Amino acid sequence: MKETPLSNCERRFLLRAIEEKKRLDGRQTYDYRSIRVSFGTDYGCCVVELGKTRVLGQVSCELVSPKLNRATEGILFFNLELSQMAAPAFEPGRQSDLLVKLNRLLERCLRNSKCIDTESLCVVAGEKVWQIRVDLHLLNHDGNIIDAASIAAIVALCHFRRPDVSVQGDEVTLYAPEERDPVPLSIHHMPICVSFAFFQQGMYLLVDPNEREERVMDGLLVIAMNKHREICTIQSSGGIMLLKDQVLRCSKIAGVKVAEITELIQKALENDQKVRKEGGKFGFAESIANQRITAFKMEKAPVDTSDVEEKAEEIMAEAEPPPEVIAEPVLWTPGTAQIGEGVENTWGVLEDSEKEGEDEGGSDEAVLPDDVKMDTAEVSNVGSQDAPIVLSDSEEEEMIILEPDKNPKKIRTQIVSAKQEKAPSKKPARKRKKKRIVN
Amino acid sequence: MAEAVQFAAESLAGGRARAARTVLDQVVLPGEELLLPEQEDVEGPGGAGERPLRLNAGTRSRLRVVCGPGLRRCGDRLLVTKCGRLRHKDPGSGSSGGVYWVDSQQKRYVPVKGDHVIGIVTAKSGDIFKVDVGGSEPASLSYLAFEGATKRNRPNVQVGDLIYGQFVVANKDMEPEMVCIDSCGRANGMGVIGHDGLLFKVTLGLIRKLLAPECEIIQEVGKLYPLEIVFGMNGRIWVKAKTIQQTLILANILEACEHMTADQRKQIFARLAEN
């Protein structure tokens, strides 16, 4: 599908707004849109959001034989993909000019700046080295792809862990993650791209242009820098003449921005590591609601079984006798029967008793570590309940049911006649008019 | 909402067509077939098999039903083609029938005959302009379809201009065609939109909401600043106020209206009115 053209009036408006130091989304000249970094459940998977632009990064590794002229160096491979999902104008499977330009810029930014120690990726010189592959997918396009992609690439690389390898004589052993903890890549520094858009032959400058600003800009300057203020790549495109002062000023701004972004990335990485260590929900799992039965699938958690017997006996001794449950079949209509705790739903009761579950019940929940307990408790609730009802009193639900709140309003406004709906009104210059539908 | 979906799914699984009357304002799913009130009596409790013989079956009172967006005719039933809530509007005369449509949230516009839209001229070729309306293909617009245009007197339209017009041809097999005059040959507000102002895109649902008669949002916006505004059913809004700042504020407010409750909106408007 063709790209939506930019109308003359949009172009004129944007340029006039830039002259007045105003931007469409209310940002200042040097402001970035809000950046959000979230991680997947796997190592080396992340999503970076820069305003509405979203990039998914995924790192993978493989043992390959090295290049002939670099026998002791691992191989780095970057690939950015612009799918149609991001914008309808992107064609799948075609190397557009934009894509080639972005890919080369990324390679220059990340490979040529030697931010990753490729020598440490060597397993057996001349025979086996690690090939690290960074796949970046643009999920939504709202301008400034290169900044989002460079952040996603470096975050994914920092987050990635490769399997541990040991070499004894001629024998190479690859350890599974269960045997030995995977090792992170050694990263010297984090180069991050910062884009500057120039308008009116370099008169005006904007940081982090969005899609519409990118369309009216005259030139683009991309500076890749790390937090030590070392320039890794610099590229000017669009054919404008930049003065020395302008480039210097841009590099100063880039230094500030890179410091901020690096801090944000490190904070995000630390957070993720902390949550992973504690065994709580991390990555995308955070955003999966516990609403569906399929969402309850969980991996086996290690259970501390050192003093199970004593503990169980202690619990049994302390606990009150279990409540009387009469498992009587209830006959609803001829031919159907229900067996269970009774007619009423007893979930609320179960949920309540969960808090004192440690000293009561004597079930297997009591010996699980704290953080896993909640989840398993909910799982067992579902198991004990024969009706396939979704959990109704979990906390997540309150956040999810946002739509019904909106609905009443919608109903109000949408009970309108289709006739009038199809007659757009113009106020106040053009008067409202009604049009009859021609059947 | 969830219940409604579940119910819709159940009925879909059952394979039995529901009566359109009974599912008004409920969620319907694509592929579902709906019965019109007339057929309810026939196919209702007895089933389709034993239909009572009528003496004057041929002269049965005719039912005029209009399929709105999201519905398609399928024999003498309605076939749902979009997921959303089923809406209905009675015709003025009080007889049965009327307009049925499905309300849903989407961004992609599909041209509909009679819709007023904002398009961007992408090319001039001979006698016609190509206009991008956000649909799957550009619409065509004849240079004669402007008020007062003759073969000698061509309208002044440049590539990149905004056009406010109406669809006269819009169906799935043909290129859509626009005009900027009504059936009497008057412009009636249509034509080329001014050279200033800002164009932005919102969802189609918001446009419908804003175009509803006595829409509160528009009245509140109108009190803020003097403004010129054009709504296209294709999700495009053009707005112009006295200054760039005011135009930007208006555009941002209208965009934000989509996700605000009435109370939140009132608060924001009150705050803006103070400044």
Side-chain angles (χ1 to χ4, degrees):
Chain A
M1 213 190 122
K2 262 190 165 171
E3 197 175 18
T4 315
L6 194 73
S7 64
N8 295 343
C9 95
E10 276 172 282
R11 186 183 301 275
R12 204 168 296 137
F13 185 90
L14 277 165
L15 290 175
R16 272 178 56 200
I18 288 162
E19 277 170 31
E20 290 187 22
K21 307 263 176 214
K22 302 226 162 58
R23 295 176 82 167
L24 289 186
D25 38 15
R27 280 185 286 159
Q28 295 296 312
T29 316
Y30 301 141
D31 285 356
Y32 253 88
R33 288 170 283 180
S34 63
I35 303 173
R36 227 188 111 211
V37 179
S38 45
F39 297 96
T41 28
D42 275 351
Y43 282 121
C45 176
C46 73
V47 170
V48 170
E49 287 169 49
L50 180 62
K52 282 184 192 153
T53 301
R54 302 180 88 200
V55 176
L56 170 82
Q58 172 71 62
V59 180
S60 50
C61 64
E62 199 184 346
L63 276 175
V64 293
S65 45
K67 286 178 184 161
L68 288 176
N69 51 350
R70 292 175 191 244
T72 60
E73 284 185 19
I75 301 168
L76 274 174
F77 189 79
F78 296 95
N79 183 35
L80 172 68
E81 219 145 286
L82 307 177
S83 72
Q84 262 197 312
M85 183 167 60
F90 294 138
E91 282 176 49
R94 209 179 122 248
Q95 289 274 322
S96 65
D97 290 349
L98 175 73
L99 181 58
V100 174
K101 188 185 126 190
L102 291 173
N103 263 323
R104 288 180 60 180
L105 195 53
L106 261 180
E107 283 201 359
R108 277 195 6 222
C109 166
L110 290 155
R111 188 194 289 153
N112 299 3
S113 69
K114 306 243 190 291
C115 63
I116 290 164
D117 182 14
T118 45
E119 303 234 324
S120 72
L121 295 174
C122 175
V123 180
V124 181
E127 280 178 33
K128 279 277 172 278
V129 293
W130 283 108
Q131 185 191 45
I132 306 290
R133 186 188 163 93
V134 184
D135 281 295
L136 299 163
H137 289 267
L138 186 66
L139 302 180
N140 193 32
H141 174 38
D142 192 28
N144 207 359
I145 302 169
I146 186 66
D147 288 16
S150 79
I151 297 172
I154 198 71
V155 170
L157 282 168
C158 288
H159 191 245
F160 183 66
R161 306 277 185 276
R162 66 170 170 83
D164 201 2
V165 188
S166 74
V167 183
Q168 284 171 331
D170 291 345
E171 212 171 281
V172 179
T173 329
L174 194 69
Y175 294 99
E178 296 85 36
E179 292 171 296
R180 274 198 201 179
D181 281 343
V183 286
L185 307 175
S186 69
I187 290 169
H188 296 311
H189 60 94
M190 290 158 72
I192 286 161
C193 291
V194 179
S195 306
F196 299 89
F198 289 93
F199 302 86
Q200 309 277 358
Q201 295 307 311
M203 276 255 282
Y204 302 100
L205 169 157
L206 291 183
V207 176
D208 182 24
N210 67 18
E211 200 246 340
R212 285 212 262 183
E213 285 163 348
E214 273 184 355
R215 288 221 208 168
V216 294
M217 72 188 173
D218 289 335
L220 183 75
L221 179 72
V222 180
I223 300 181
M225 204 184 245
N226 60 23
K227 70 171 177 191
H228 313 295
R229 290 172 163 267
E230 294 164 338
I231 290 179
C232 302
T233 302
I234 187 159
Q235 175 174 308
S236 160
S237 56
I240 48 156
M241 307 293 268
L242 289 176
L243 299 172
K244 196 172 83 184
D245 290 351
Q246 281 174 317
V247 180
L248 276 175
R249 192 161 62 132
C250 287
S251 66
K252 267 182 200 146
I253 299 165
V256 177
K257 294 293 162 200
V258 166
E260 285 171 14
I261 296 170
T262 312
E263 200 177 323
L264 184 126
I265 292 174
Q266 266 159 357
K267 215 175 269 172
L269 283 167
E270 271 168 33
N271 268 353
D272 182 69
Q273 205 144 32
K274 208 166 77 188
V275 181
R276 258 168 218 270
K277 209 176 264 173
E278 287 167 2
K281 278 186 188 172
F282 54 83
F284 301 141
E286 258 182 311
S287 50
I288 297 173
N290 264 2
Q291 271 224 313
R292 276 161 294 131
I293 296 166
T294 48
F296 286 120
K297 271 188 195 165
M298 58 177 289
E299 286 170 25
K300 278 184 189 167
V303 179
D304 182 19
T305 52
S306 51
D307 53 351
V308 179
E309 278 187 28
E310 292 104 66
K311 214 168 178 181
E313 268 171 32
E314 193 183 293
I315 290 166
M316 292 219 322
E318 280 178 14
E320 294 163 25
E324 291 275 309
V325 176
I326 308 149
E328 225 180 325
V330 183
L331 219 62
W332 288 111
T333 47
T336 61
Q338 186 187 343
I339 227 169
E341 295 190 330
V343 194
E344 274 182 54
N345 191 334
T346 51
W347 284 19
V349 184
L350 270 178
E351 207 78 294
D352 287 345
S353 67
E354 207 177 87
K355 284 164 197 134
E356 53 221 310
E358 293 263 354
D359 45 17
E360 194 187 305
S363 67
D364 52 350
E365 289 159 27
V367 282
L368 286 173
D370 268 9
D371 44 316
V372 200
K373 205 199 76 187
M374 272 302 286
D375 286 357
T376 43
E378 280 167 1
V379 172
S380 64
N381 278 352
V382 173
S384 71
Q385 209 67 31
D386 45 5
I389 309 166
V390 286
L391 262 194
S392 57
D393 40 3
S394 73
E395 291 159 16
E396 280 88 352
E397 176 136 23
E398 280 165 24
M399 300 180 334
I400 288 150
I401 302 199
L402 277 174
E403 288 149 352
D405 292 342
K406 276 186 248 159
N407 284 338
K409 199 175 67 184
K410 246 189 279 167
I411 293 166
R412 176 182 58 74
T413 50
Q414 283 173 352
I415 303 181
V416 296
S417 68
K419 279 180 208 160
Q420 280 147 351
E421 217 181 58
K422 288 185 178 172
S425 64
K426 302 176 169 193
K427 279 179 67 183
R430 287 147 200 215
K431 71 174 203 294
R432 190 182 287 246
K433 59 193 176 294
K434 291 178 183 172
K435 207 185 73 63
R436 291 205 70 82
I437 288 183
V438 190
N439 292 319
Chain B
M1 192 79 167
E3 279 171 27
V5 169
Q6 201 177 7
F7 181 62
E10 271 169 22
S11 83
L12 206 61
R16 180 146 173 79
R18 292 189 283 170
R21 287 259 169 221
T22 60
V23 288
L24 282 185
D25 294 337
Q26 283 184 17
V27 172
V28 287
L29 297 179
E32 203 173 345
E33 286 189 358
L34 300 173
L35 293 170
L36 291 167
E38 193 96 328
Q39 298 147 5
E40 276 171 46
D41 327 325
V42 181
E43 298 194 20
E50 35 193 316
R51 137 181 334 204
L53 208 67
R54 285 198 189 180
L55 278 179
N56 51 354
T59 60
R60 206 165 56 173
S61 69
R62 276 192 138 187
L63 187 73
R64 187 176 270 265
V65 170
V66 178
C67 291
L71 292 172
R72 195 184 288 173
R73 203 185 118 186
C74 170
D76 51 358
R77 295 175 173 187
L78 291 177
L79 181 68
V80 182
T81 55
K82 266 200 311 199
C83 178
R85 280 167 181 257
L86 184 74
R87 307 281 188 200
H88 175 245
K89 183 188 166 289
D90 276 324
S93 57
S95 61
S96 58
V99 186
Y100 287 92
W101 74 97
V102 177
D103 244 346
S104 61
Q105 287 291 330
Q106 64 175 52
K107 285 178 169 174
R108 167 74 54 213
Y109 177 69
V110 181
V112 174
K113 190 179 163 187
D115 267 6
H116 288 74
V117 293
I118 300 178
I120 303 166
V121 179
T122 53
K124 279 204 270 193
S125 59
D127 292 351
I128 56 163
F129 303 113
K130 287 280 174 217
V131 184
D132 175 276
V133 288
S136 60
E137 61 175 331
S140 67
L141 172 66
S142 164
Y143 75 98
L144 289 172
F146 288 86
E147 191 186 47
T150 56
K151 288 221 164 186
R152 288 268 177 89
N153 184 14
R154 285 178 170 246
N156 180 23
V157 179
Q158 305 300 324
V159 170
D161 275 358
L162 292 182
I163 297 276
Y164 182 64
Q166 186 183 12
F167 279 116
V168 283
V169 174
N171 58 43
K172 60 179 188 228
D173 305 316
M174 282 168 68
E175 187 187 54
E177 195 179 328
M178 282 172 78
V179 290
C180 291
I181 42 173
D182 60 9
S183 50
C184 312
R186 316 299 300 161
N188 211 349
M190 290 181 278
V192 179
I193 299 176
H195 294 290
D196 298 325
L198 175 64
L199 180 82
F200 60 98
K201 283 196 79 180
V202 296
T203 60
L204 303 186
L206 181 63
I207 285 283
R208 288 198 291 264
K209 195 156 102 180
L210 291 169
L211 284 176
E214 280 117 45
C215 171
E216 285 177 17
I217 302 174
I218 288 303
Q219 287 169 0
E220 284 166 19
V221 166
K223 282 179 205 152
L224 275 182
Y225 309 116
L227 78 156
E228 261 185 277
I229 194 161
V230 180
F231 297 106
M233 284 298 281
N234 54 348
R236 289 184 182 154
I237 302 179
W238 175 90
V239 63
K240 183 188 166 191
K242 265 189 188 144
T243 63
I244 292 216
Q245 174 77 16
Q246 288 180 354
T247 311
L248 277 174
I249 291 174
L250 289 170
N252 280 325
I253 284 186
L254 287 174
E255 260 177 24
C257 274
E258 175 132 54
H259 304 294
M260 279 198 289
T261 62
D263 293 338
Q264 285 172 327
R265 202 176 61 227
K266 290 218 171 74
Q267 274 177 10
I268 288 192
F269 277 110
R271 211 165 55 200
L272 272 172
E274 280 170 22
N275 296 346

